[in-house]
Amino acid sequence: MKISKPIVLVLSSAMILSAISLSGCQAASKKISCKDLFTPEFSGLSGAAYINDYSSVTYDNKLKMEKLLIGDVDTAKLNSSQSEQYYDAVYKVDKFVESISFTIEDTSKSGKYENGDQIKVQAKYNQNYAKLMNLDIKDTTFVYKISGINEGTKINPFENLKVSYEGSSPDGRVKIDSSECPDFVKNHMSFYSSESSRLKNGQKITITASYSTSRANNEEVIITKEEQEYTVSGLNEYPTSLDGLALSDVNNKLEQHAKADISDDYKNGDSVYGDGYSIDITSQNVKVARKLFVNKKLVSDYSTPSNSYVFIYEVTFSGKVRYDGSKYKKGQEAKITKYYYNQVPNILVTSDKKVVFSEDDIYGSMTNYTLDEITERTRSDDSYTVTEVK
């Protein structure tokens, strides 16, 4: 019985391989391309895929090699001698195929392979088998272009991520909002900042995305970026000087507060005491005597800034003396001058140089100190500077 163009490998008693056909004819030389035998498998999605099961020839390719080198044989029609030769040939082909191994020159991208990537592959094999089987081995070094990996859905989680800052420099805080991001980002990702507090304008921070890679694979999602650098900006700042700032609003609020406070506590008809005498108030005159900017000197990045804007008012009360004294007689017209101060703490400035303050924080009181004494007392310790505001 003759089988069309089969090649069978027969092992002699001396364990020497020779390639003969079942009909007894010498087998023709066969060209084998190692590139055709390299069929790696990938796990994961394009852009985040791993390569595996690539170092040896796959079972399917082994069967193809058997058919190529032996032929398409109907084993049911073989006699016992032919059957013995056939299975012996299969064994020898398999041994040659199993001697082939593949290595990839650069595996640094493993875990990040994507369609279109090219990898350089080297193949090794048993040269004795190839020679005795009359095989012409080609493409022992070749370039393999990756294709067929599931593309998945690529998501840059930072694309619609809202990063903002609240508080004031250098004590700001970062705020991260993913509400406008894709569902996978909103539902299955968390974000962490390298620095979340004590932030100041111009500072660099890195925000990192955290997520389950297995969940991403199950949902066929590829996260294309896992961290991004941001520059802190937009925080209100503590000014070192009030020069050049628009102060009309805060000035008006301080004056309104002072006049209302003085009017409530010192009404016409009330008594006010001076140096050895008192008068019943008939009128009062309030004017700004001095404006001060009190600012804390920062000695390190961890210092807590603070400042205050202080108004000192000269208040002159007019009225009639209540009792006879060494200086005035009862009923005589007299004047008494006192000093009232009020202030607003924590003056801030926006990026466009607008003054920010809280009207609710304004407070003040009448004093018996002189103008210079009040000026000195605005400084609680030597860590503050006091500057007169013109």
Side-chain angles (χ1 to χ4, degrees):
M1 182 174 103
K2 185 175 181 180
I3 303 174
S4 177
K5 295 184 180 179
I7 299 173
V8 178
L9 305 177
V10 180
L11 182 63
S12 71
S13 59
M15 301 296 290
I16 300 176
L17 287 170
S18 62
I20 61 172
S21 71
L22 288 180
S23 63
C25 298
Q26 180 67 32
S29 174
K30 290 284 186 179
K31 288 185 179 181
I32 303 297
S33 171
C34 294
K35 187 173 183 179
D36 294 339
L37 296 175
F38 182 71
T39 53
E41 295 180 3
F42 293 87
S43 59
L45 303 170
S46 181
Y50 289 88
I51 186 171
N52 47 29
D53 295 336
Y54 68 87
S55 61
S56 57
V57 178
T58 64
Y59 178 74
D60 287 342
N61 281 341
K62 183 190 289 187
L63 295 181
K64 291 178 182 178
M65 284 293 291
E66 290 175 2
K67 180 177 286 190
L68 175 66
L69 296 177
I70 300 173
D72 192 4
V73 179
D74 184 355
T75 57
K77 296 181 180 180
L78 298 178
N79 59 36
S80 59
S81 176
Q82 291 171 329
S83 181
E84 183 179 350
Q85 290 182 52
Y86 171 74
Y87 286 109
D88 190 51
V90 169
Y91 174 77
K92 301 306 182 294
V93 171
D94 289 350
K95 292 297 287 184
F96 165 70
V97 172
E98 290 167 2
S99 78
I100 301 173
S101 64
F102 300 101
T103 56
I104 297 173
E105 286 194 356
D106 182 6
T107 59
S108 61
K109 202 175 180 183
S110 182
K112 296 182 180 179
Y113 285 120
E114 61 184 323
N115 290 323
D117 282 345
Q118 293 185 340
I119 53 178
K120 191 173 182 180
V121 183
Q122 287 187 338
K124 293 183 179 180
Y125 60 95
N126 188 308
Q127 295 184 6
N128 290 331
Y129 278 115
K131 183 177 180 181
L132 294 173
M133 292 170 65
N134 198 21
L135 300 179
D136 184 9
I137 308 301
K138 302 291 186 183
D139 302 322
T140 55
T141 299
F142 58 90
V143 173
Y144 179 84
K145 186 175 181 179
I146 296 174
S147 63
I149 304 176
N150 189 342
E151 287 289 339
T153 301
K154 291 181 172 63
I155 295 177
N156 178 353
F158 298 95
E159 188 171 343
N160 294 315
L161 191 70
K162 291 183 178 179
V163 177
S164 58
Y165 309 95
E166 56 187 10
S168 54
S169 180
D171 195 22
R173 300 171 298 280
V174 65
K175 186 176 180 182
I176 303 172
D177 180 7
S178 61
S179 61
E180 295 186 7
C181 294
D183 288 343
F184 183 86
V185 178
K186 286 191 295 186
N187 300 328
H188 305 303
M189 296 190 75
S190 301
F191 294 90
Y192 302 94
S193 176
S194 57
E195 301 289 339
S196 57
S197 60
R198 297 292 298 171
L199 301 178
K200 60 183 178 180
N201 289 327
Q203 182 177 349
K204 304 289 186 182
I205 61 173
T206 299
I207 294 179
T208 303
S210 175
Y211 63 100
S212 166
T213 53
S214 60
R215 181 184 287 275
N217 287 334
N218 290 338
E219 298 196 18
E220 298 188 346
V221 167
I222 298 173
I223 301 302
T224 61
K225 197 171 188 179
E226 296 185 352
E227 65 177 32
Q228 182 160 307
E229 186 179 78
Y230 292 83
T231 300
V232 179
S233 63
L235 291 174
N236 295 336
E237 295 187 343
Y238 287 81
T240 57
S241 169
L242 299 184
D243 292 346
L245 299 179
L247 300 174
S248 58
D249 186 33
V250 64
N251 288 349
N252 290 336
K253 296 299 183 185
L254 282 166
E255 291 192 31
Q256 289 171 13
H257 179 275
K259 290 179 179 179
D261 197 21
I262 295 168
S263 295
D264 287 343
D265 291 343
Y266 298 90
K267 297 179 177 63
N268 285 350
D270 290 347
S271 295
V272 63
Y273 295 88
D275 184 14
Y277 64 100
S278 63
I279 62 174
D280 293 329
I281 300 171
T282 56
S283 65
Q284 55 184 253
N285 180 59
V286 180
K287 67 177 183 179
V288 178
R290 190 171 288 171
K291 294 183 288 186
L292 305 172
F293 179 57
V294 184
N295 188 47
K296 187 173 184 178
K297 295 178 287 186
L298 300 183
V299 296
S300 73
D301 289 341
Y302 298 98
S303 300
T304 301
S306 66
N307 63 38
S308 59
Y309 186 28
V310 181
F311 270 39
I312 305 175
Y313 300 86
E314 183 183 274
V315 184
T316 303
F317 297 100
S318 299
K320 294 183 177 182
V321 176
R322 173 166 284 195
Y323 304 107
D324 287 338
S326 59
K327 193 172 184 180
Y328 295 101
K329 299 296 184 181
K330 180 179 178 180
Q332 187 176 352
E333 292 288 336
K335 293 182 179 182
I336 294 176
T337 297
K338 289 183 174 293
Y339 288 97
Y340 175 95
Y341 82 94
N342 68 343
Q343 61 183 318
V344 57
N346 298 321
I347 291 284
L348 298 171
V349 179
T350 65
S351 57
D352 56 355
K353 301 301 181 183
K354 291 183 179 178
V355 174
V356 178
F357 65 97
S358 172
E359 185 177 352
D360 294 337
D361 291 338
I362 296 175
Y363 66 94
S365 65
M366 191 72 73
T367 77
N368 291 316
Y369 297 111
T370 66
L371 181 61
D372 289 339
E373 287 173 337
I374 297 172
T375 299
E376 182 58 31
R377 291 177 69 88
T378 58
R379 184 199 343 247
S380 56
D381 56 57
D382 289 340
S383 66
Y384 287 85
T385 60
V386 179
T387 306
E388 187 167 359
V389 179
K390 301 298 183 182

